[in-house]
Coordinates of all heavy atoms in Angstrom, one line a residue:
M8 N -9.9 15.6 3.4 CA -8.6 14.7 3.6 C -8.2 15.1 5.0 O -8.1 16.3 5.5 CB -7.6 15.1 2.6 CG -6.4 14.1 2.4 SD -5.2 14.7 1.3 CE -6.0 14.6 -0.2
C9 N -7.9 14.1 5.8 CA -7.4 14.3 7.1 C -6.0 14.7 7.3 O -5.4 14.7 6.1 CB -7.6 13.1 8.0 SG -6.4 11.6 7.6
R10 N -5.5 15.2 8.4 CA -4.2 15.7 8.5 C -3.1 14.7 8.0 O -2.2 15.0 7.3 CB -3.9 16.0 9.9 CG -2.5 16.6 10.2 CD -2.4 16.8 11.8 NE -1.5 18.0 11.9 CZ -0.1 17.8 12.1 NH1 0.3 16.5 11.9 NH2 0.6 18.8 12.3
Q11 N -3.3 13.4 8.4 CA -2.3 12.4 8.1 C -2.2 12.2 6.6 O -1.1 12.1 6.0 CB -2.7 11.1 8.7 CG -1.7 9.9 8.4 CD -2.4 8.6 9.0 OE1 -3.3 8.6 9.7 NE2 -1.8 7.4 8.5
H12 N -3.3 12.3 5.8 CA -3.3 12.0 4.4 C -2.8 13.2 3.7 O -2.1 13.1 2.7 CB -4.6 11.5 3.9 CG -4.7 10.1 4.2 ND1 -5.8 9.5 4.9 CD2 -3.9 9.0 3.8 CE1 -5.5 8.2 5.0 NE2 -4.6 7.9 4.4
L13 N -3.2 14.4 4.0 CA -2.8 15.7 3.6 C -1.3 15.9 3.6 O -0.6 16.1 2.7 CB -3.5 16.8 4.3 CG -3.0 18.2 3.9 CD1 -3.5 18.6 2.4 CD2 -3.6 19.4 4.7
L14 N -0.8 15.5 4.8 CA 0.6 15.7 4.9 C 1.4 14.6 4.2 O 2.5 14.8 3.6 CB 1.1 15.8 6.4 CG 0.4 17.0 7.2 CD1 1.0 16.9 8.6 CD2 0.8 18.3 6.5
G15 N 0.9 13.4 4.2 CA 1.4 12.2 3.7 C 1.6 12.4 2.1 O 2.5 12.1 1.6
E16 N 0.5 12.8 1.4 CA 0.5 13.1 0.0 C 1.5 14.2 -0.2 O 2.2 14.0 -1.3 CB -0.9 13.3 -0.5 CG -0.8 13.3 -2.0 CD -2.2 13.4 -2.7 OE1 -3.1 13.2 -2.0 OE2 -2.3 14.0 -3.7
H17 N 1.6 15.2 0.6 CA 2.4 16.3 0.3 C 3.8 15.9 0.3 O 4.6 16.0 -0.6 CB 2.2 17.4 1.3 CG 3.2 18.5 1.3 ND1 4.2 18.7 2.1 CD2 3.5 19.5 0.4 CE1 5.0 19.7 1.8 NE2 4.5 20.1 0.7
V18 N 4.2 15.0 1.2 CA 5.6 14.5 1.4 C 5.9 13.6 0.1 O 7.0 13.7 -0.3 CB 5.8 13.7 2.8 CG1 7.0 12.8 2.7 CG2 5.8 14.6 3.8
E19 N 4.9 12.8 -0.2 CA 5.1 12.0 -1.4 C 5.5 12.8 -2.7 O 6.3 12.3 -3.4 CB 3.8 11.1 -1.7 CG 4.1 10.1 -2.5 CD 3.5 8.7 -2.1 OE1 2.8 8.7 -1.1 OE2 3.8 7.6 -2.6
L20 N 4.7 13.8 -2.9 CA 5.1 14.8 -4.1 C 6.5 15.2 -4.0 O 7.2 15.1 -5.1 CB 4.0 16.0 -4.2 CG 2.6 15.6 -4.4 CD1 1.8 16.9 -4.4 CD2 2.4 14.7 -5.6
H21 N 6.9 15.6 -2.8 CA 8.3 16.0 -2.7 C 9.2 14.8 -2.9 O 10.2 15.0 -3.6 CB 8.5 16.6 -1.3 CG 8.1 18.0 -1.2 ND1 8.8 19.2 -1.6 CD2 6.9 18.7 -0.9 CE1 8.3 20.3 -1.4 NE2 7.1 19.9 -1.0
M22 N 8.9 13.7 -2.5 CA 9.7 12.5 -2.8 C 9.9 12.3 -4.3 O 11.0 11.9 -4.8 CB 9.2 11.2 -2.2 CG 9.5 11.2 -0.5 SD 8.6 9.8 0.2 CE 8.9 8.4 -1.1
I23 N 8.8 12.3 -5.0 CA 8.8 12.2 -6.4 C 9.6 13.1 -7.1 O 10.5 12.8 -8.0 CB 7.4 12.1 -7.0 CG1 6.6 11.0 -6.5 CG2 7.3 12.1 -8.4 CD1 5.1 11.1 -6.7
V24 N 9.5 14.4 -6.8 CA 10.3 15.5 -7.3 C 11.8 15.3 -7.0 O 12.7 15.5 -7.7 CB 9.8 16.8 -7.0 CG1 10.7 18.0 -7.3 CG2 8.4 17.1 -7.6
G25 N 11.9 15.0 -5.7 CA 13.3 14.6 -5.2 C 14.1 13.6 -6.0 O 15.3 13.7 -6.5
S26 N 13.3 12.6 -6.4 CA 13.9 11.5 -7.2 C 14.4 12.1 -8.5 O 15.4 11.7 -9.2 CB 12.8 10.4 -7.4 OG 12.6 9.7 -6.3
A27 N 13.4 12.8 -9.2 CA 13.6 13.5 -10.5 C 14.9 14.4 -10.4 O 15.7 14.4 -11.2 CB 12.4 14.3 -10.9
L28 N 15.0 15.1 -9.3 CA 16.2 16.0 -9.1 C 17.5 15.2 -9.0 O 18.6 15.7 -9.5 CB 16.0 16.8 -7.8 CG 15.3 18.0 -7.7 CD1 15.1 18.7 -6.3 CD2 15.9 19.1 -8.8
R29 N 17.5 14.0 -8.4 CA 18.6 13.2 -8.4 C 18.8 12.5 -9.7 O 19.7 11.7 -9.7 CB 18.4 12.2 -7.1 CG 18.7 12.9 -5.8 CD 18.8 12.0 -4.6 NE 17.6 11.0 -4.6 CZ 16.6 11.3 -3.8 NH1 16.5 12.4 -3.2 NH2 15.4 10.4 -3.8
G30 N 18.2 12.7 -10.7 CA 18.4 12.2 -11.8 C 17.7 10.7 -12.1 O 18.1 10.2 -13.0
R31 N 16.9 10.5 -11.2 CA 16.3 9.1 -11.2 C 15.1 9.2 -12.2 O 14.4 10.2 -12.2 CB 15.9 8.6 -10.1 CG 17.0 8.0 -9.1 CD 16.5 7.5 -7.7 NE 15.3 6.6 -7.9 CZ 14.6 6.2 -6.9 NH1 14.8 6.7 -5.7 NH2 13.7 5.3 -7.2
S32 N 15.0 8.2 -13.1 CA 13.8 8.1 -13.9 C 12.5 8.1 -13.1 O 12.5 7.4 -12.0 CB 13.9 7.0 -14.9 OG 12.6 6.9 -15.5
L33 N 11.4 8.7 -13.4 CA 10.2 8.5 -12.8 C 9.4 7.3 -13.3 O 8.2 7.2 -13.0 CB 9.3 9.8 -12.7 CG 9.9 11.1 -12.2 CD1 9.0 12.3 -12.2 CD2 10.4 10.6 -10.7
A34 N 9.9 6.7 -14.3 CA 9.3 5.5 -14.9 C 8.7 4.6 -14.0 O 7.7 3.9 -14.1 CB 10.3 4.8 -15.9
G35 N 9.5 4.3 -12.7 CA 9.0 3.4 -11.9 C 7.8 3.9 -11.1 O 7.0 3.1 -10.6
F36 N 7.4 5.2 -11.1 CA 6.3 5.7 -10.6 C 5.2 5.9 -11.5 O 4.0 5.9 -11.1 CB 6.5 7.2 -10.1 CG 7.4 7.4 -9.0 CD1 8.7 7.8 -9.2 CD2 7.1 7.1 -7.7 CE1 9.6 8.1 -8.0 CE2 7.9 7.2 -6.6 CZ 9.2 7.7 -6.8
V37 N 5.5 5.7 -12.8 CA 4.5 6.0 -13.8 C 3.6 4.7 -14.2 O 4.4 3.8 -14.7 CB 5.1 6.7 -15.1 CG1 4.1 6.9 -16.2 CG2 5.5 8.0 -14.6
A38 N 2.5 4.6 -14.1 CA 1.7 3.5 -14.7 C 0.2 4.1 -14.7 O 0.1 5.4 -14.8 CB 1.7 2.4 -13.8
G39 N -0.7 3.3 -14.9 CA -2.1 3.8 -14.8 C -2.6 4.2 -13.4 O -3.0 3.4 -12.7
G40 N -2.7 5.5 -13.3 CA -3.2 6.0 -12.0 C -4.0 7.2 -12.2 O -4.5 7.5 -13.2
L41 N -4.2 7.9 -11.1 CA -5.0 9.2 -11.1 C -4.3 10.5 -11.5 O -4.9 11.4 -12.0 CB -5.7 9.3 -9.7 CG -6.7 8.0 -9.4 CD1 -7.3 8.4 -8.1 CD2 -7.8 7.9 -10.5
I42 N -3.1 10.5 -10.8 CA -2.4 11.9 -11.0 C -1.4 11.8 -12.0 O -0.5 11.1 -12.0 CB -1.8 12.1 -9.6 CG1 -3.0 12.5 -8.6 CG2 -0.9 13.4 -9.6 CD1 -2.5 13.1 -7.2
E43 N -1.4 12.8 -13.0 CA -0.4 12.8 -14.0 C 0.8 13.7 -13.5 O 0.7 14.5 -12.8 CB -1.1 13.6 -15.3 CG -2.3 13.0 -15.8 CD -2.0 11.7 -16.6 OE1 -1.0 11.7 -17.3 OE2 -2.7 10.8 -16.4
T44 N 2.0 13.3 -14.0 CA 3.2 14.1 -13.6 C 3.0 15.5 -14.1 O 3.5 16.4 -13.4 CB 4.4 13.5 -14.3 OG1 4.3 13.3 -15.6 CG2 4.9 12.2 -13.7
G45 N 2.2 15.8 -15.2 CA 2.1 17.2 -15.6 C 1.2 17.9 -14.7 O 1.2 19.2 -14.7
S46 N 0.3 17.3 -13.8 CA -0.4 18.1 -12.9 C 0.1 17.9 -11.5 O -0.5 18.4 -10.5 CB -1.9 17.5 -13.0 OG -2.1 16.2 -12.6
L47 N 1.3 17.4 -11.3 CA 1.8 17.1 -10.0 C 2.2 18.4 -9.3 O 1.9 18.5 -8.1 CB 3.2 16.3 -10.1 CG 3.8 15.7 -8.9 CD1 4.5 14.5 -9.1 CD2 4.7 16.6 -8.2
R48 N 2.7 19.4 -10.1 CA 2.9 20.7 -9.5 C 1.7 21.4 -9.0 O 1.6 22.1 -8.0 CB 3.7 21.6 -10.5 CG 4.3 22.9 -10.0 CD 5.3 23.5 -11.0 NE 6.4 22.6 -11.3 CZ 7.5 22.6 -10.4 NH1 7.6 23.2 -9.3 NH2 8.4 21.6 -10.6
E49 N 0.7 21.4 -9.8 CA -0.7 22.0 -9.5 C -1.1 21.2 -8.3 O -1.7 21.9 -7.4 CB -1.6 21.7 -10.7 CG -2.9 22.3 -10.7 CD -3.7 22.0 -11.8 OE1 -3.2 21.5 -12.9 OE2 -5.0 22.0 -11.8
R50 N -1.1 19.9 -8.2 CA -1.5 19.2 -7.0 C -0.7 19.7 -5.8 O -1.3 19.9 -4.7 CB -1.2 17.7 -7.2 CG -1.7 16.8 -6.1 CD -3.2 16.8 -6.0 NE -3.7 15.9 -4.9 CZ -4.7 16.0 -4.2 NH1 -5.5 17.0 -4.3 NH2 -5.0 15.2 -3.2
H51 N 0.5 20.0 -5.8 CA 1.3 20.5 -4.7 C 0.8 21.7 -4.3 O 0.8 22.1 -3.2 CB 2.8 20.5 -5.2 CG 3.6 21.0 -4.0 ND1 4.0 22.5 -4.0 CD2 4.1 20.6 -2.9 CE1 4.6 22.7 -2.9 NE2 4.7 21.5 -2.1
E52 N 0.3 22.6 -5.2 CA -0.1 24.0 -5.0 C -1.4 23.8 -4.1 O -1.6 24.4 -3.2 CB -0.4 24.7 -6.2 CG 0.9 25.2 -7.0 CD 1.7 26.0 -6.2 OE1 1.4 26.9 -5.4 OE2 2.9 25.5 -6.0
D53 N -2.1 22.8 -4.6 CA -3.5 22.7 -3.8 C -3.2 22.2 -2.5 O -3.8 22.7 -1.5 CB -4.3 21.5 -4.5 CG -4.9 22.0 -6.0 OD1 -4.9 23.3 -6.2 OD2 -5.5 21.1 -6.7
L54 N -2.3 21.2 -2.3 CA -2.0 20.7 -0.9 C -1.4 21.7 0.0 O -1.8 21.9 1.2 CB -1.0 19.4 -1.0 CG -1.6 18.3 -1.7 CD1 -0.7 17.2 -1.8 CD2 -2.9 17.7 -0.9
S55 N -0.5 22.5 -0.6 CA 0.2 23.6 0.3 C -0.7 24.7 0.7 O -0.6 25.2 1.8 CB 1.5 24.1 -0.4 OG 1.1 24.5 -1.6
A56 N -1.6 25.0 -0.3 CA -2.7 25.9 0.1 C -3.6 25.5 1.2 O -4.0 26.2 2.2 CB -3.5 26.4 -1.2
E57 N -3.9 24.2 1.1 CA -4.8 23.5 2.1 C -4.0 23.6 3.4 O -4.7 23.7 4.6 CB -5.3 22.1 1.6 CG -6.2 21.3 2.7 CD -7.5 22.1 3.0 OE1 -7.9 22.9 2.0 OE2 -8.1 21.9 4.0
M58 N -2.8 23.3 3.5 CA -2.0 23.1 4.6 C -2.0 24.6 5.3 O -2.2 24.8 6.5 CB -0.6 22.8 4.3 CG -0.5 21.1 4.0 SD 1.2 20.8 3.3 CE 2.2 21.1 4.7
G59 N -1.9 25.6 4.5 CA -2.0 26.9 4.9 C -3.2 27.3 5.5 O -3.2 27.9 6.6
R60 N -4.4 26.9 4.9 CA -5.6 27.1 5.5 C -5.8 26.5 6.9 O -6.5 27.1 7.7 CB -6.8 26.6 4.5 CG -7.1 27.6 3.4 CD -8.4 27.3 2.8 NE -8.2 26.0 2.0 CZ -7.9 25.8 0.7 NH1 -7.6 27.0 0.1 NH2 -7.7 24.7 0.1
R61 N -5.2 25.3 7.0 CA -5.3 24.7 8.4 C -4.2 25.2 9.3 O -4.1 24.6 10.5 CB -5.3 23.3 8.2 CG -6.3 22.7 7.2 CD -6.2 21.1 7.2 NE -7.1 20.5 6.2 CZ -7.3 19.2 6.1 NH1 -6.9 18.4 6.9 NH2 -8.1 18.8 5.2
G62 N -3.4 26.1 8.9 CA -2.3 26.7 9.8 C -1.1 25.9 10.1 O -0.3 25.9 10.9
Y63 N -0.8 24.8 9.1 CA 0.3 24.0 9.1 C 1.3 24.7 8.4 O 1.2 25.5 7.4 CB 0.2 22.7 8.4 CG -1.0 21.8 8.9 CD1 -1.4 20.9 8.0 CD2 -1.6 22.0 10.0 CE1 -2.6 20.1 8.3 CE2 -2.6 21.2 10.5 CZ -3.1 20.3 9.5 OH -4.2 19.6 9.9
S64 N 2.6 24.8 8.8 CA 3.7 25.4 8.1 C 4.0 24.7 7.0 O 4.2 23.5 6.8 CB 4.9 25.6 9.2 OG 5.3 24.3 9.4
H65 N 4.5 25.4 5.9 CA 4.9 24.8 4.6 C 6.2 25.7 4.2 O 6.0 26.8 3.7 CB 3.9 24.8 3.6 CG 4.4 24.3 2.3 ND1 4.9 25.0 1.3 CD2 4.4 23.0 1.9 CE1 5.3 24.2 0.2 NE2 4.9 22.9 0.6
R66 N 7.4 25.0 4.4 CA 8.4 25.8 4.1 C 9.3 25.0 3.0 O 10.5 25.1 3.0 CB 9.5 25.9 5.3 CG 8.9 26.6 6.5 CD 9.9 26.7 7.6 NE 9.2 26.9 9.0 CZ 8.9 25.7 9.6 NH1 9.2 24.5 9.2 NH2 8.4 25.9 10.8
S67 N 8.6 24.4 2.1 CA 9.2 23.6 1.2 C 8.7 23.8 -0.3 O 7.8 23.0 -0.6 CB 9.1 22.1 1.7 OG 7.7 21.8 1.9
P68 N 9.1 24.8 -0.9 CA 8.6 25.0 -2.3 C 9.1 23.8 -3.1 O 10.2 23.3 -2.8 CB 9.2 26.3 -2.6 CG 10.4 26.6 -1.7 CD 10.0 26.0 -0.4
L69 N 8.2 23.4 -4.1 CA 8.7 22.4 -5.0 C 9.7 22.8 -5.9 O 9.6 23.8 -6.7 CB 7.5 21.9 -5.7 CG 7.3 20.4 -6.1 CD1 7.3 19.6 -4.8 CD2 6.0 20.2 -6.9
P70 N 10.9 22.2 -5.9 CA 12.1 22.6 -6.8 C 11.6 22.4 -8.2 O 10.9 21.6 -8.5 CB 13.2 21.7 -6.4 CG 12.9 21.0 -5.2 CD 11.3 21.1 -5.1
A71 N 12.2 23.4 -9.0 CA 11.9 23.3 -10.4 C 12.7 22.1 -11.0 O 13.9 22.1 -10.9 CB 12.3 24.6 -11.1
V72 N 11.9 21.2 -11.7 CA 12.5 20.1 -12.3 C 11.7 19.6 -13.4 O 10.4 19.7 -13.1 CB 12.9 18.9 -11.2 CG1 11.7 18.4 -10.7 CG2 13.7 17.7 -11.8
S73 N 12.3 19.1 -14.4 CA 11.3 18.5 -15.4 C 10.8 17.2 -15.0 O 11.7 16.2 -14.5 CB 12.1 18.4 -16.8 OG 13.1 17.5 -16.7
L74 N 9.6 16.8 -15.1 CA 9.0 15.6 -14.7 C 8.8 14.7 -16.0 O 8.0 14.9 -16.7 CB 7.8 15.9 -13.9 CG 7.9 16.5 -12.6 CD1 6.6 17.1 -12.1 CD2 8.7 15.8 -11.5
E75 N 9.8 13.8 -16.1 CA 9.7 12.9 -17.2 C 9.7 11.5 -16.7 O 10.4 11.0 -15.8 CB 10.9 13.1 -18.1 CG 11.0 14.4 -18.7 CD 9.9 14.7 -19.7 OE1 9.4 13.6 -20.2 OE2 9.7 15.8 -20.2
P76 N 9.1 10.5 -17.4 CA 8.2 10.8 -18.4 C 7.0 11.3 -18.1 O 6.5 11.1 -16.9 CB 8.1 9.3 -19.1 CG 8.3 8.5 -18.0 CD 9.2 9.2 -17.0
A77 N 6.1 11.9 -18.9 CA 4.7 12.2 -18.6 C 4.0 11.0 -18.4 O 4.1 10.0 -19.2 CB 4.2 13.1 -19.9
G78 N 3.1 11.0 -17.4 CA 2.2 9.9 -17.2 C 1.7 10.0 -15.8 O 1.9 11.1 -15.2
S79 N 1.2 9.0 -15.4 CA 0.6 9.1 -14.0 C 1.4 8.5 -13.0 O 2.4 7.9 -13.2 CB -0.9 8.2 -14.1 OG -0.5 6.9 -14.5
V80 N 1.2 8.8 -11.7 CA 2.0 8.3 -10.6 C 1.0 7.6 -9.6 O 0.4 8.0 -8.8 CB 2.5 9.7 -9.9 CG1 3.3 9.3 -8.7 CG2 3.1 10.6 -10.8
P81 N 1.2 6.2 -9.9 CA 0.4 5.3 -9.1 C 0.4 5.3 -7.6 O -0.4 5.1 -6.9 CB 0.8 4.0 -9.6 CG 2.1 4.1 -10.2 CD 2.2 5.4 -10.6
R82 N 1.6 5.7 -7.1 CA 1.7 5.7 -5.6 C 0.8 6.8 -5.0 O 0.3 6.6 -3.9 CB 3.2 5.8 -5.2 CG 4.1 4.6 -5.7 CD 5.6 4.8 -5.2 NE 5.6 4.8 -3.8 CZ 6.5 5.5 -3.1 NH1 7.5 6.3 -3.8 NH2 6.6 5.5 -1.9
V83 N 0.7 7.9 -5.7 CA 0.1 9.1 -5.2 C -1.5 8.7 -5.4 O -2.2 8.8 -4.6 CB 0.2 10.3 -6.1 CG1 -0.7 11.4 -5.6 CG2 1.7 10.7 -5.6
A84 N -1.7 8.0 -6.6 CA -3.1 7.5 -6.8 C -3.5 6.4 -5.7 O -4.7 6.5 -5.2 CB -3.2 6.7 -8.1
A85 N -2.5 5.6 -5.3 CA -2.9 4.6 -4.2 C -3.3 5.5 -3.0 O -4.1 5.0 -2.2 CB -1.7 3.8 -4.1
R86 N -2.6 6.5 -2.7 CA -2.8 7.2 -1.5 C -4.2 7.9 -1.5 O -4.9 7.9 -0.5 CB -1.8 8.2 -1.1 CG -1.9 8.9 0.2 CD -0.6 9.7 0.6 NE 0.6 9.0 0.6 CZ 1.1 8.2 1.6 NH1 0.3 8.1 2.5 NH2 2.2 7.6 1.5
A87 N -4.5 8.4 -2.8 CA -5.9 8.9 -2.9 C -6.8 7.8 -2.7 O -8.0 8.2 -1.9 CB -6.0 9.6 -4.2
E88 N -6.7 6.7 -3.1 CA -7.7 5.6 -2.9 C -7.7 5.2 -1.4 O -8.8 5.0 -0.8 CB -7.1 4.3 -3.6 CG -8.0 3.1 -3.3 CD -9.4 3.2 -3.9 OE1 -9.7 4.0 -4.7 OE2 -10.3 2.7 -3.1
L89 N -6.5 5.3 -0.8 CA -6.5 5.1 0.8 C -7.3 6.2 1.5 O -8.1 5.9 2.3 CB -5.0 5.2 1.2 CG -4.8 4.6 2.5 CD1 -4.8 3.1 2.6 CD2 -3.4 5.1 3.0
A90 N -7.2 7.4 1.0 CA -8.0 8.6 1.6 C -9.4 8.3 1.5 O -10.2 8.6 2.4 CB -7.6 9.8 1.0
R91 N -9.9 7.7 0.4 CA -11.3 7.4 0.2 C -11.8 6.4 1.3 O -12.9 6.5 1.7 CB -11.5 6.9 -1.1 CG -11.8 8.0 -2.2 CD -12.5 7.5 -3.4 NE -11.6 6.7 -4.2 CZ -10.7 7.2 -5.0 NH1 -10.6 8.6 -5.2 NH2 -9.8 6.4 -5.7
R92 N -10.9 5.6 1.6 CA -11.3 4.6 2.6 C -11.0 5.0 4.2 O -11.3 4.2 5.1 CB -10.6 3.3 2.3 CG -11.1 2.7 1.0 CD -10.6 1.2 0.9 NE -9.9 1.1 -0.2 CZ -8.6 0.6 -0.3 NH1 -8.0 0.3 0.7 NH2 -7.9 0.6 -1.4
C93 N -10.4 6.1 4.3 CA -10.0 6.6 5.6 C -11.1 7.2 6.5 O -11.7 8.0 5.9 CB -8.8 7.5 5.5 SG -8.4 8.4 7.0
P94 N -11.4 6.6 7.5 CA -12.5 7.2 8.3 C -12.4 8.7 8.7 O -13.2 9.4 8.7 CB -12.5 6.4 9.6 CG -11.7 5.0 9.3 CD -10.8 5.5 8.2
A95 N -11.2 9.0 9.0 CA -10.8 10.5 9.3 C -11.1 11.4 8.1 O -11.6 12.5 8.2 CB -9.4 10.6 9.8
C96 N -10.7 10.9 6.9 CA -11.0 11.7 5.7 C -12.4 11.7 5.4 O -12.9 12.8 5.1 CB -10.2 10.9 4.6 SG -8.5 11.2 4.5
R97 N -13.1 10.6 5.6 CA -14.6 10.6 5.4 C -15.3 11.6 6.3 O -16.3 12.3 5.9 CB -15.1 9.2 5.6 CG -15.0 8.4 4.3 CD -16.1 7.4 4.3 NE -16.0 6.4 5.4 CZ -15.1 5.5 5.4 NH1 -14.4 5.1 4.5 NH2 -15.1 4.7 6.6
L98 N -14.9 11.6 7.6 CA -15.4 12.4 8.6 C -15.2 13.8 8.1 O -16.2 14.7 8.2 CB -14.7 12.3 10.0 CG -15.4 12.9 11.2 CD1 -16.7 12.2 11.5 CD2 -14.5 12.9 12.4
L99 N -14.2 14.3 7.6 CA -13.9 15.6 7.1 C -14.7 15.9 5.9 O -15.2 17.0 5.9 CB -12.3 15.8 6.7 CG -11.5 16.3 7.9 CD1 -10.0 16.2 7.3 CD2 -11.8 17.6 8.5
Q100 N -14.9 15.0 5.0 CA -15.6 15.2 3.8 C -17.1 15.4 4.2 O -17.9 16.1 3.5 CB -15.5 14.0 2.9 CG -14.3 14.2 2.0 CD -13.9 12.9 1.4 OE1 -14.8 11.9 1.2 NE2 -12.7 12.7 0.8
S101 N -17.6 14.8 5.3 CA -19.0 15.0 5.7 C -19.1 16.1 6.5 O -20.2 16.3 7.2 CB -19.5 13.6 6.5 OG -18.8 13.4 7.5
G102 N -18.1 17.0 6.7 CA -18.2 18.2 7.5 C -17.8 18.2 8.9 O -17.8 19.1 9.6
G103 N -17.2 17.1 9.3 CA -16.8 17.0 10.7 C -15.4 17.6 10.8 O -14.8 18.2 9.7
K104 N -14.8 17.6 12.1 CA -13.4 18.2 12.1 C -12.4 17.0 12.7 O -12.8 16.2 13.5 CB -13.5 19.3 13.3 CG -14.3 20.5 12.8 CD -13.5 21.7 13.0 CE -14.3 23.0 12.7 NZ -14.2 23.2 11.3
A105 N -11.2 17.1 12.2 CA -10.2 16.1 12.6 C -9.1 16.8 13.2 O -8.7 17.9 12.9 CB -9.8 15.3 11.4
Ligands
ZN207 ZN1 5.7 21.4 -0.4
ZN208 ZN1 -7.2 10.2 5.9

């Protein structure tokens, strides 16, 4: 995943959790996608670990909040789909540097 998509998806996870913190239902985010709200925290751990490996600063622990309803988050899924089509992401996947 290229820098833009790594950071973009990371910000998006924080936005989703921020919505939940403000008491907004995540129903608008939930539909048939790739990432479950139940694995969103795990996904954030993966992304922040990757940011650390690349030397980007990460000063934003994910606040504790219940993520309801359980389900998938299509906007993140859409970004993952974007990443698959992104030339910079593909370059990285094939061993290049971005
Ligand atoms: Zn974070
Ligand atoms: Zn990309």
Side-chain angles (χ1 to χ4, degrees):
M8 197 185 291
C9 71
R10 181 178 205 277
Q11 184 189 343
H12 281 121
L13 175 65
L14 298 184
E16 184 173 336
H17 173 251
V18 163
E19 191 137 10
L20 293 182
H21 277 275
M22 279 173 43
I23 291 166
V24 170
S26 291
L28 273 177
R29 287 191 298 273
R31 285 181 51 195
S32 168
L33 297 184
F36 290 108
V37 172
L41 296 177
I42 293 186
E43 303 286 319
T44 47
S46 64
L47 193 147
R48 190 166 299 279
E49 189 182 336
R50 180 68 178 150
H51 176 263
E52 291 307 305
D53 287 348
L54 291 176
S55 54
E57 178 62 21
M58 285 166 70
R60 274 193 292 276
R61 298 188 192 188
Y63 309 154
S64 62
H65 180 263
R66 301 186 210 87
S67 52
L69 211 60
V72 65
S73 68
L74 297 166
E75 298 288 342
S79 53
V80 182
R82 294 182 63 212
V83 175
R86 190 170 301 276
E88 176 58 31
L89 193 76
R91 269 196 290 280
R92 287 189 243 127
C93 170
C96 288
R97 272 204 304 277
L98 190 71
L99 274 175
Q100 276 164 17
S101 63
K104 294 226 182 287

